[in-house]
Amino acid sequence: MKGGVAPSGRPYQVIIAENSKFQAKQLAQILESEGYEVVGFAETGKELLNMYKENRKVDLITLDLHLPVIDGFAAFYEMKDMGVLPRVIVITDENTPAVMKTLTDDGIMDYLVKPIKREKVLEKANATVRKTIKI
């Protein structure tokens, strides 16, 4: 069975928050090849928050920290304030250890530093969807 499919047989649903259309498409192709269902693309933090409000049952969010309008940091903390935080993997070019430690301590489940590699994306996504959501 593919990693993007839950034990129930339902594909895990993903929102990709990424300001680069190329990067978003690349992530979608990688995840869909593993059975994940991409249910939305957000180019801004504001779009991400609107999508998350409409689909609180999403299984995974990939989050770029450098989003326009509302950045990824603010969007993350706003989602966190809504209650149960979804499974979030930060995929960004930000690699400051203190920033990543703070985000991990505050509830992101994992992170990847760009440029992305297919194997790493799938490894992190497959592990993350199997983790228990923090409350």
Side-chain angles (χ1 to χ4, degrees):
M1 184 174 289
K2 290 187 172 192
V5 179
S8 67
R10 177 184 73 81
Y12 289 112
Q13 295 185 336
V14 183
I15 293 174
I16 296 174
E18 171 62 58
N19 65 2
S20 159
K21 282 184 176 12
F22 173 79
Q23 189 83 48
K25 186 174 182 175
Q26 185 181 25
L27 275 169
Q29 287 173 338
I30 291 168
L31 292 168
E32 288 171 346
S33 75
E34 190 70 7
Y36 290 89
E37 178 185 1
V38 177
V39 295
F41 291 94
E43 290 184 37
T44 70
K46 184 175 172 69
E47 287 176 9
L48 170 61
L49 291 170
N50 289 337
M51 279 182 206
Y52 181 61
K53 286 174 189 168
E54 292 172 14
N55 187 1
R56 297 288 294 273
K57 301 231 184 288
V58 69
D59 299 297
L60 178 66
I61 294 174
T62 67
L63 177 64
D64 183 3
L65 296 177
H66 302 292
L67 297 173
V69 185
I70 297 173
D71 70 21
F73 294 98
F76 168 75
Y77 287 107
E78 199 165 320
M79 284 188 296
K80 186 175 178 174
D81 289 345
M82 290 180 202
V84 177
L85 186 63
R87 292 175 186 93
V88 176
I89 299 176
V90 168
I91 300 178
T92 187
D93 49 17
E94 172 66 60
N95 64 354
T96 309
V99 170
M100 290 304 138
K101 180 174 181 353
T102 298
L103 287 169
T104 302
D105 290 348
D106 287 346
I108 69 159
M109 293 202 163
D110 217 330
Y111 67 92
L112 277 166
V113 178
K114 293 177 183 176
I116 62 169
K117 291 189 170 56
R118 182 181 194 284
E119 301 77 31
K120 276 290 185 199
V121 169
L122 293 176
E123 174 189 316
K124 303 272 186 181
N126 292 341
T128 299
V129 292
R130 285 159 180 76
K131 290 180 183 177
T132 303
I133 293 177
K134 296 177 184 178
I135 298 176

